[in-house]
Amino acid sequence: MKTLLKSVAAASLMLAAAQPALAQAQAAAPSGPLVPGLAIADLDGVVANSNAYKTAQSQRPVTYKPQLDQAEARRRAITAQIQPLVDKFNKDRAAPGANQAALQQQYQQIQQIQQAGEQELRQILQPVGYSEAYVQEQIAEKLDQAVKSAMAKKKISLLLSPQAVTAFNNNGYNLSQDIITELNTLIPSAQLVPPQGWEPREVREQRAQQAAQQGQPTAAPAPTTPTAPAPSGR
């Protein structure tokens, strides 16, 4: 679970950073000859700039405000609990002839409180992380189709990521906005709240692997794509 929430947080930061980067790339459009059939696309930026993703990002703080407020309150309470212990530890450690055994006990106490607090915060914020993962999976299910459609319309036969290209000086190679347009058509909005029992792909794969190792049948996961109209997020 810790790995999941870290990956979700990292993905959020990466996608958020991709928004201005993609905008800058689209703003610069120098002229020059093009190689037919060749293009680049930043797929992380495509997802971050899709209507479905941006709408979900704006809805989530409202829909999950109770969890976010609870987590912030607990974070402050945990900090208030730990800070006096940290101050005492630092004071005792700086004293001449400090008792190393006592310092070790203090350190372990602080570490235990901190670890328990982190676990509690992860539990409180799990619905928020699941919502993030659920939205990203819904968009990912349409991304390949959007890419193929944009390539077909622009007659692109080879699509590269910006990381695979040393440099390029013509924005005519950038297919990102075309893919965003296709993606917005395929999935104009995403369901913000996962269905009951849904788990992110990472968790599902871990469970399937464990079940396979134990020779147990794997339970069918809850669907990612909504079968009913997506709620507004409130």
Side-chain angles (χ1 to χ4, degrees):
M1 189 60 60
K2 184 176 182 180
T3 302
L4 168 68
L5 292 179
K6 281 186 176 180
S7 66
V8 168
S12 299
L13 292 173
M14 178 177 64
L15 292 173
Q19 293 182 8
L22 181 62
Q24 290 175 5
Q26 293 168 347
S31 60
L34 295 176
V35 178
L38 179 65
I40 66 167
D42 178 7
L43 297 186
D44 289 330
V46 165
V47 172
N49 285 274
S50 67
N51 290 341
Y53 183 83
K54 290 191 292 186
T55 299
Q57 290 294 91
S58 66
Q59 291 176 340
R60 190 171 295 110
V62 178
T63 302
Y64 290 95
K65 188 177 187 301
Q67 290 89 343
L68 294 171
D69 288 349
Q70 181 185 3
E72 177 60 17
R74 283 300 299 142
R75 184 194 66 79
R76 291 180 179 178
I78 294 167
T79 300
Q81 180 183 6
I82 290 179
Q83 192 59 53
L85 300 177
V86 172
D87 293 342
K88 184 178 186 303
F89 173 81
N90 290 331
K91 180 180 178 180
D92 292 348
R93 183 175 57 175
N99 187 323
Q100 296 301 316
L103 288 174
Q104 182 64 23
Q105 290 181 350
Q106 291 181 48
Y107 176 78
Q108 290 177 350
Q109 181 186 13
I110 294 170
Q111 191 175 45
Q112 289 172 359
I113 295 173
Q114 183 176 10
Q115 291 174 348
E118 290 174 354
Q119 176 63 33
E120 183 180 0
L121 291 176
R122 285 196 297 271
Q123 195 67 29
I124 294 171
L125 291 173
Q126 185 191 76
V128 184
Y130 273 27
S131 170
E132 175 82 18
Y134 186 51
V135 168
Q136 290 190 28
E137 284 195 27
Q138 291 173 73
I139 298 173
E141 287 183 351
K142 301 296 184 180
L143 183 59
D144 183 62
Q145 185 179 349
V147 169
K148 291 179 179 177
S149 179
M151 290 179 67
K153 289 181 179 180
K154 286 299 182 74
K155 295 181 172 55
I156 300 299
S157 57
L158 179 61
L159 184 65
L160 302 174
S161 70
Q163 293 78 16
V165 179
T166 302
F168 69 100
N169 65 356
N170 194 312
N171 200 48
Y173 285 113
N174 198 332
L175 197 67
S176 295
Q177 185 56 54
D178 298 83
I179 300 174
I180 292 173
T181 301
E182 297 295 330
L183 197 58
N184 288 343
T185 300
L186 292 169
I187 177 169
S189 63
Q191 184 172 338
L192 185 67
V193 181
Q196 185 69 30
W198 184 88
E199 292 178 322
R201 180 175 289 110
E202 179 181 329
V203 177
R204 300 196 303 267
E205 290 176 351
Q206 290 176 351
R207 291 188 186 280
Q209 184 178 7
Q210 292 173 356
Q213 292 173 349
Q214 298 172 1
Q216 299 175 353
T218 304
T224 299
T225 303
T227 57
S232 63
R234 293 176 180 263

